[in-house]
Amino acid sequence: MDIIQILSLALNELVAPMTVGYILCAIGLAVHFGFTGLLNFGQAAFAALGAYGYGYAVLVFGWDLWGAILFGLICAMAFAALLGIPTLRLRADYLAIVTIAASQALRFTVGSSTAAPITGGSAGQSQFGESFYALNPFPEGEYNLGTVTLTNLELWMRVVAWGLVAIAALFVFALTRSPWGRVLKGIREDEDAVRALGKNVFAYKLQALVIGGSIAAFGGMVFVMSSQANEPTNWGTNFTFITWTILLLGGAATILGPIVGGMVFFALLTLIESFLEILVNAGLLPFLLIEQVAQIRFLLVGLILMLLVIFRPQGFFGNKKEMQFNG
Amino acid sequence: MANDISVGKAEPGCKKIDPILVADNVTRQFGGLTAVDVKHVEIPRGKITALIGPNGAGKTTFFNLLTGFDKPNTGTWTYEGKDLAGMPSYKVARLGMIRTFQLTKALSLLTVIDNMRLGAQGQAGEGFFKAFIRPLWSANEKRITAKADELLTRFKLDAKREDYAAALSGGQRKLLEMARALMSDPKLVMLDEPMAGVNPALTQSLLEHIKDLKNNGTTVLFVEHDMHMVRNISDWVIVMAEGKIVAEGPPSQVMKDQAVIDAYLGAHADTDLGTVAINKIKVGK
Amino acid sequence: MNRLLKGPARAIGALIAGFLIFAGLLTASPASAADADPSTFAYTIAGTLQQDDTPITGVTIIASKDAEKFETKSDEFGEWTIMVPTDGIWKVELDTTTIPKEFNLANKDGAVNEADLSQTDFAAVLFKFGTDVVVKQSFTDQLLVRVFAGFNFGLMLAIAAIGITLIYGTTGLNNFAHGEMVTLGAMMMWLFYSFFQWNILVAGLVAVAAVTAFGWAQDAGIWKPLRKRRLGLNQMMIVSIGFGIVARYLILLFFAGDTKDISGAATVIQLGPIFTSDVTLVSMVISVLALLGVAYFLTRTRIGKATRAVSDNSSLAASTGIDVERIIRIVWVVAAALTGLAGVLYGLQFQGNWSMGYDILLLLFAAVTLGGLGAPLGAAVGALIIGMVVEVSTLFMPSELKYVSALLILIVILVVRPQGVLGKKQRIG
Ligand SMILES: Nc1ncnc2c1ncn2[C@@H]1O[C@H](COP(=O)(O)OP(=O)(O)OP(=O)(O)O)[C@@H](O)[C@H]1O
Ligand SMILES: [Mg+2]
């Protein structure tokens, strides 16, 4: 592999559907954490429910694209309500524990052979994208985008994925500039003060949880759509942790943060991994095996997460003062 | 002694001619400690009432109970004839009963002006769906912004308009919180130590503002340790000690009340409280 | 070039611009996997098909992931190997039409399996043939077996959970990196006991000492400086998540992803319907002694009493002359030692791998929450209950869901009695 290949790989990662899946989840998390202050550590569950709901509607109900999307969305929203109604009254750090526990419980359950008739068990779901790809308007052939060559279907996938990012960003932008968004930010700062001003804090938190969860549900659908394979192992806690890293990298209380954070994060990971592979292949890192390079990825996730929180909690775009954590 | 507020003699739990808030048998225990044990109290409408008492008397806890921020062990209370017991705090606020906090709750990472805007009630743009349609709320936004600016000027915070509330001093935060509470034109404002930490020069103008509130028909209930201020602006004083109401009456009368002096200074003092700098005996602030 | 390095933002901008220029020069087409020679692939999935020791020949096995698919047939010994090009989770299935008639799968869903190559380059996949051997036991016997297992598991959770709760009590930190101390304990035990073949006692002591040193270093290197910076507690919690990930993957890098056999030679002991081993019984005794030791430490010693005072109200404790930082340091050391011990015992009984501690982390939180965060002896009781629930629940639901029941308990407790179980409600006003 030469340097040009590495760079093009990294560039490909910038726009890959998987990257977009994470970006959408991070935008949802920005609504949760950045604007409302909810410590949601179960974002993987919302994404998983979007993906599973979609897959189930297609594979079992035989629904078309729109119906299936709606079903995936409803699954995630229902989960948000189910989780939120009892837990949003809890202190912030308890919410973190509850959400991470709920998402793990969900992952164990969907991946179990008991749930296999519904979720496909450990094998998950596959081949559910026909109606989506049927809408592809691009004629068959190869598309050279200057940096990568894509098939028409791959191009379609990316166009839709980035279209969703644009819509989600505009949606959140509009919300956060409104008096509604102002109440959310107030809640992030001190929910009792906002209560004393006559706002129904619980209802706002629930709305925020549902909206952020819905955006994550789209993220989950995009995440599984390009490979048309949805496996329970996708939705472990690492998914959530990567989403957090992306969010904090870009800036939690910003709109562009999650987008640029996601792109930079994956490009950076690919670059580092590729360079490490070169070094290993050249025998310069004798202590590292080539297949261990992939493990470095998560090590970096952890390291970036730590360093960001300690040294730059506002991320790339955040105002130094705008984002700090309460507690 | 006769007065124009209570029905009969001024004594703990006496009836008022025109009460806005009436509480009965309100108790709150923390473990073995009874923090609040109020048999009966009425707050007169359209007057300025001071709630005083030594540290730990239960004033803040009583505020918390009345505004739905804490749950009492027993008790009922009505506001404007409506039963409030068990009502969530935000609904209490919507009825026009707005409080401030002793430990200031400025929303640090919102600008001062956004803090103020948040205080206004009934904003269409605070609904999720309407939030997307700017024309539905932009006019109202202008209106409340103008009102907020007016209040900020009055509270000498206009220069800080665009700053984050986090950048304000402790006294300025108190002011901001009070100004924010007034954004909704409350019928009853409950201020928990509004003047603690505020520059004396400013205190005077705020006192005038509180009097203005009264003139506009707002009822004020405030907790304060500064006896000069209490004497200066209040029409009525309620004294709490160890959770109970121990005295009530017009300020001049209450300051001489032996029970009050006992409560503050212990049984051996015989001074008129108005001449004692109560601040000196405050602890743990 | 120097100019570009001035600010990180500029450097990143330059990097992106660099991509665009370079990448614009080419149209890369990564070699399609199907064209490549499978024998050069880095990852291997393998297994043996047999029923009652008879090899099953000629069965087609298919490994697939995303759009990629590779297949092979089992040989005369029933053995098969598939080389695959990439890591990740591969789906491995048998083409049931190619199974000879005289053989049958143990259960009808048994033809699909998966190979987890996300952390290693080799995975063995087992397909069960023949009738599943189910030994019929009476319900009471089964219950006894489960209760015993639950007690044993609960004891181990207890000593690790006390560590979490001591740290939470004195510093307010929800330590998400706690599981890694369990893992480290087991891995150290493997290193000294199984790999270096040291005496079991010496190996155990050195392993616990290593984790203790890790705990001390962690506090001195990370948590104390962060406390000094007055970092918020939620922020600290996220730092601990990050640190946990780093520690976990470092352990993976050093010890690889395979399951480590730590048990050595254990003698089976039968107690009525319960089959157990000398290792298990001894480790239970050690756990109980450790718990009694903690109870003694907290209630009878001066430092233990100071620890409780700090947990109760650290500023008050400080004003009565207690050196809070010193207490916290001691707490970290004690917590790490206990947790390392839990890892050693856990490893001895159930083997160990790089993520074992993380896998039980939420169970630890469940235990701690149940008993009341910050209340050490409550955590021990909570852990025993959680251990029991996890094991006994397998009588009523599929054992693959046994952790789910514990997680649901955690959620329910937090929802129903957050302040009652976890301590005082916060003041308002
Ligand atoms: N959440 C709580 N838990 C336990 N005890 C409490 C709690 N809140 C208040 N108390 C106790 O109740 C009593 C009354 O407290 P409160 O804050 O109402 O006093 P206060 O009259 O407002 O005093 P100050 O003038 O100092 O503000 C005190 O003894 C206090 O320690
Ligand atoms: Mg008070």
Side-chain angles (χ1 to χ4, degrees):
Chain A
M1 208 191 298
D2 57 22
I3 192 137
I4 296 191
Q5 254 176 317
I6 292 176
L7 287 175
S8 101
L9 257 183
L11 203 70
N12 200 8
E13 283 294 319
L14 279 182
V15 295
M18 188 191 70
T19 306
V20 177
Y22 278 114
I23 286 176
L24 284 168
C25 289
I27 293 176
L29 195 60
V31 174
H32 291 154
F33 175 69
F35 293 108
T36 322
L38 302 175
L39 282 172
N40 170 19
F41 274 93
Q43 192 70 328
F46 293 97
L49 280 161
Y52 271 106
Y54 179 91
Y56 188 73
V58 167
L59 298 172
V60 180
F61 298 155
W63 287 3
D64 70 354
L65 181 70
W66 303 112
I69 290 178
L70 194 67
F71 189 70
L73 206 56
I74 288 174
C75 287
M77 288 172 141
F79 181 71
L82 207 70
L83 194 66
I85 288 171
T87 57
L88 284 176
R89 292 192 172 85
L90 301 181
R91 231 171 67 183
D93 53 339
Y94 302 163
L95 186 71
I97 297 180
V98 169
T99 47
I100 197 171
S103 87
Q104 283 292 73
L106 183 84
R107 185 176 87 83
F108 289 143
T109 309
V110 295
S112 70
S113 58
T114 318
I118 298 169
T119 62
S122 60
Q125 302 167 330
S126 57
Q127 303 309 318
F128 39 70
E130 206 177 307
S131 55
F132 169 74
Y133 286 108
L135 288 183
N136 165 39
F138 301 108
E140 195 154 341
E142 300 221 315
Y143 290 79
N144 184 340
L145 300 186
T147 60
V148 281
T149 309
L150 302 171
T151 68
N152 55 336
L153 294 184
E154 285 170 342
L155 180 64
W156 168 234
M157 178 75 237
R158 281 163 179 74
V159 168
V160 172
W162 283 97
L164 282 172
V165 169
I167 293 171
L170 282 176
F171 178 82
V172 175
F173 180 76
L175 277 176
T176 52
R177 292 302 140 114
S178 71
W180 186 84
R182 190 161 63 213
V183 179
L184 290 196
K185 290 183 206 163
I187 292 171
R188 177 187 74 198
E189 298 305 316
D190 190 323
E191 52 178 85
D192 280 326
V194 176
R195 233 175 239 129
L197 297 173
K199 322 289 176 196
N200 185 352
V201 168
F202 175 73
Y204 282 98
K205 285 207 227 172
L206 192 60
Q207 286 171 4
L209 191 69
V210 169
I211 286 159
S214 305
I215 298 174
F218 278 108
M221 293 182 218
V222 169
F223 191 84
V224 297
M225 190 55 87
S226 70
S227 63
Q228 293 202 53
N230 174 15
E231 288 153 5
T233 43
N234 290 340
W235 314 116
T237 44
N238 278 347
F239 185 98
T240 301
F241 296 157
I242 290 175
T243 305
W244 269 89
T245 308
I246 289 172
L247 179 74
L248 295 179
L249 197 62
T254 63
I255 309 288
L256 283 181
I259 301 174
V260 177
M263 294 167 77
V264 169
F265 177 77
F266 282 106
L268 207 66
L269 276 192
T270 315
L271 276 182
I272 294 174
E273 272 179 32
S274 309
F275 280 121
L276 280 177
E277 269 173 32
I278 290 181
L279 294 180
V280 171
N281 283 334
L284 293 174
L285 296 173
F287 51 88
L288 213 58
L289 300 173
I290 192 79
E291 59 271 14
Q292 287 179 321
V293 169
Q295 300 163 3
I296 304 268
R297 156 178 295 232
F298 290 104
L299 216 145
L300 289 173
V301 169
L303 205 61
I304 296 174
L305 196 58
M306 276 175 83
L307 296 180
L308 275 175
V309 173
I310 299 173
F311 296 109
R312 208 178 155 81
Q314 76 274 27
F316 287 152
F317 290 114
N319 181 323
K320 174 88 186 150
K321 279 189 237 135
E322 161 107 45
M323 201 58 237
Q324 70 190 25
F325 298 67
N326 31 19
Chain B
M1 205 195 293
N3 62 70
D4 59 353
I5 291 178
S6 67
V7 172
K9 200 160 98 49
E11 56 187 12
C14 65
K15 291 230 175 319
K16 307 286 153 36
I17 294 165
D18 182 15
I20 186 168
L21 186 81
V22 181
D24 280 295
N25 285 321
V26 179
T27 62
R28 175 69 166 106
Q29 269 129 16
F30 294 111
L33 174 90
T34 303
V36 170
D37 181 7
V38 171
K39 292 276 177 298
H40 181 87
V41 73
E42 298 184 2
I43 308 297
R45 183 194 310 276
K47 306 284 180 205
I48 299 178
T49 306
L51 180 62
I52 64 170
N55 292 125
K59 307 178 294 288
T60 298
T61 308
F62 192 48
F63 263 35
N64 286 346
L65 294 172
L66 292 180
T67 50
F69 279 89
D70 194 2
K71 300 263 168 294
N73 294 83
T74 66
T76 55
W77 60 100
T78 59
Y79 160 79
E80 300 264 43
K82 270 192 269 318
D83 187 4
L84 290 195
M87 186 181 278
S89 48
Y90 74 94
K91 285 193 179 160
V92 172
R94 284 182 189 176
L95 291 176
M97 188 167 150
I98 302 276
R99 69 168 297 182
T100 65
F101 294 89
Q102 178 173 6
L103 303 170
T104 332
K105 292 185 183 297
L107 304 169
S108 316
L109 300 179
L110 261 62
T111 57
V112 167
I113 186 74
D114 269 347
N115 261 277
M116 294 296 290
R117 289 183 183 127
L118 203 55
Q121 290 192 4
Q123 300 184 47
E126 288 185 352
F128 174 66
F129 293 106
K130 288 183 183 157
F132 290 101
I133 312 168
R134 193 172 278 266
L136 286 181
W137 47 265
S138 55
N140 188 49
E141 189 81 353
K142 268 211 194 84
R143 198 180 57 71
I144 61 177
T145 305
K147 182 170 176 185
D149 280 326
E150 195 183 312
L151 277 166
L152 285 180
T153 313
R154 169 92 69 143
F155 282 76
K156 305 262 183 303
L157 287 171
D158 43 342
K160 300 278 177 188
R161 189 179 191 272
E162 301 299 335
D163 290 4
Y164 282 121
L168 299 183
S169 74
Q172 286 170 327
R173 285 180 213 193
K174 276 252 129 151
L175 294 176
L176 174 61
E177 194 179 358
M178 192 165 147
R180 192 174 63 197
L182 299 179
M183 277 297 290
S184 64
D185 297 321
K187 284 189 218 142
L188 169 60
V189 266
M190 301 171 61
L191 308 170
D192 200 345
E193 304 200 14
M195 296 304 162
V198 174
N199 163 13
L202 197 49
T203 313
Q204 201 48 46
S205 93
L206 288 178
L207 294 185
E208 292 308 316
H209 191 79
I210 293 179
K211 282 183 190 161
D212 279 355
L213 283 177
K214 181 177 88 165
N215 295 339
N216 295 335
T218 307
T219 308
V220 180
L221 175 63
F222 71 104
V223 172
E224 191 50 66
H225 286 290
D226 179 345
M227 288 307 144
H228 293 294
M229 170 174 167
V230 170
R231 170 167 278 183
N232 194 333
I233 65 164
S234 52
D235 304 306
W236 194 257
V237 178
I238 299 174
V239 186
M240 272 182 96
E242 290 167 11
K244 294 191 176 60
I245 301 222
V246 294
E248 263 195 63
S252 52
Q253 180 188 335
V254 165
M255 299 288 173
K256 295 194 199 88
D257 189 321
Q258 193 57 42
V260 177
I261 296 166
D262 289 352
Y264 266 93
L265 302 177
H268 304 297
D270 56 357
T271 2
D272 177 341
L273 262 187
T275 64
V276 179
I278 293 300
N279 280 329
K280 287 205 183 111
I281 57 169
K282 276 169 74 173
V283 285
K285 282 281 151 59
Chain C
M1 202 57 207
N2 285 342
R3 214 162 40 83
L4 291 176
L5 295 176
K6 270 190 181 157
R10 280 181 114 159
I12 288 165
L15 221 59
I16 293 174
F19 288 166
L20 291 171
I21 295 163
F22 279 117
L25 295 175
L26 84 163
T27 52
S29 65
S32 150
D35 306 338
D37 173 9
S39 65
T40 64
F41 290 162
Y43 300 91
T44 312
I45 308 170
T48 308
L49 302 183
Q50 52 183 22
Q51 178 168 346
D52 306 332
D53 292 333
T54 320
I56 311 171
T57 314
V59 181
T60 304
I61 298 113
I62 306 149
S64 60
K65 191 179 89 159
D66 303 338
E68 291 173 286
K69 213 171 208 181
F70 300 92
E71 56 175 72
T72 187
K73 280 189 189 307
S74 56
D75 65 12
E76 61 205 290
F77 309 108
E79 288 171 10
W80 57 272
T81 308
I82 300 178
M83 309 287 283
V84 294
T86 56
D87 62 352
I89 312 275
W90 286 78
K91 185 170 149 194
V92 185
E93 62 187 316
L94 299 182
D95 180 350
T96 47
T97 57
T98 60
I99 301 175
K101 282 199 186 42
E102 59 270 36
F103 301 106
N104 62 296
L105 279 164
N107 60 50
K108 61 178 177 8
D109 306 326
V112 184
N113 227 318
E114 67 181 31
D116 185 351
L117 290 172
S118 44
Q119 315 302 343
T120 60
D121 56 347
F122 176 85
V125 174
L126 185 72
F127 293 97
K128 275 199 202 131
F129 285 87
T131 41
D132 251 344
V133 224
V134 186
V135 186
K136 269 282 160 226
Q137 265 185 320
S138 76
F139 181 79
T140 21
D141 282 0
Q142 285 183 37
L143 189 66
L144 270 176
V145 170
R146 293 289 116 211
V147 167
F148 179 79
F151 187 62
N152 178 30
F153 187 40
L155 279 174
M156 266 174 314
L157 289 180
I159 40 182
I162 284 187
I164 287 195
T165 208
L166 283 175
I167 291 169
Y168 177 84
T170 46
T171 67
L173 170 69
N174 278 311
N175 182 18
F176 272 78
H178 204 81
E180 279 58 51
M181 292 200 278
V182 175
T183 314
L184 191 66
M187 290 297 140
M188 288 292 146
M189 190 60 183
W190 171 80
L191 185 69
F192 298 124
Y193 180 54
S194 304
F195 193 76
F196 291 155
Q197 305 266 319
W198 289 4
N199 170 286
I200 187 164
L201 254 175
V202 178
L205 284 176
V206 175
V208 170
V211 180
T212 309
F214 176 63
W216 176 84
Q218 210 187 115
D219 183 50
I222 301 178
W223 307 117
K224 186 176 175 190
L226 291 185
R227 282 196 298 276
K228 276 237 172 83
R229 285 175 74 122
R230 302 193 166 279
L231 201 69
L233 287 175
N234 291 337
Q235 228 161 328
M236 289 246 228
M237 181 175 81
I238 301 179
V239 173
S240 83
I241 290 177
F243 181 67
I245 301 175
V246 171
R248 193 148 68 248
Y249 282 87
L250 277 177
I251 291 175
L252 175 60
L253 281 175
F254 279 110
F255 292 95
D258 58 330
T259 299
K260 300 273 184 277
D261 183 355
I262 309 176
S263 57
T267 317
V268 174
I269 293 171
Q270 184 174 5
L271 303 168
I274 301 163
F275 285 87
T276 177
S277 70
D278 53 351
V279 172
T280 302
L281 291 178
V282 171
S283 90
M284 286 169 86
V285 171
I286 293 176
S287 304
V288 171
L289 289 178
L291 289 178
L292 291 176
V294 173
Y296 179 83
F297 166 74
L298 286 175
T299 54
R300 293 293 144 82
T301 65
R302 219 167 44 81
I303 293 176
K305 284 178 190 164
T307 304
R308 287 195 297 155
V310 173
S311 294
D312 220 35
N313 185 338
S314 70
S315 42
L316 193 64
S319 67
T320 60
I322 295 174
D323 179 351
V324 173
E325 273 302 323
R326 176 165 162 264
I327 294 296
I328 291 176
R329 195 162 61 239
I330 293 172
V331 159
W332 264 99
V333 165
V334 171
L338 286 168
T339 312
L341 177 65
V344 168
L345 299 178
Y346 192 89
L348 275 175
Q349 295 181 57
F350 303 109
Q351 324 305 359
N353 67 31
W354 66 286
S355 70
M356 57 188 278
Y358 184 67
D359 293 340
I360 61 166
L361 178 68
L362 286 174
L363 297 188
L364 295 178
F365 273 121
V368 163
T369 310
L370 193 62
L373 257 176
L377 301 178
V381 176
L384 286 175
I385 296 174
I386 291 293
M388 218 60 102
V389 167
V390 165
E391 288 297 334
V392 174
S393 70
T394 59
L395 291 177
F396 310 102
M397 49 199 272
S399 62
E400 60 185 351
L401 293 180
K402 67 180 180 182
Y403 284 2
V404 173
S405 48
L407 295 182
L408 292 181
I409 291 186
L410 167 62
I411 295 171
V412 169
I413 303 282
L414 276 177
V415 167
V416 178
R417 279 187 63 82
Q419 81 275 20
V421 176
L422 296 170
K424 277 166 272 170
K425 198 173 176 184
Q426 280 175 328
R427 286 201 59 165
I428 296 170

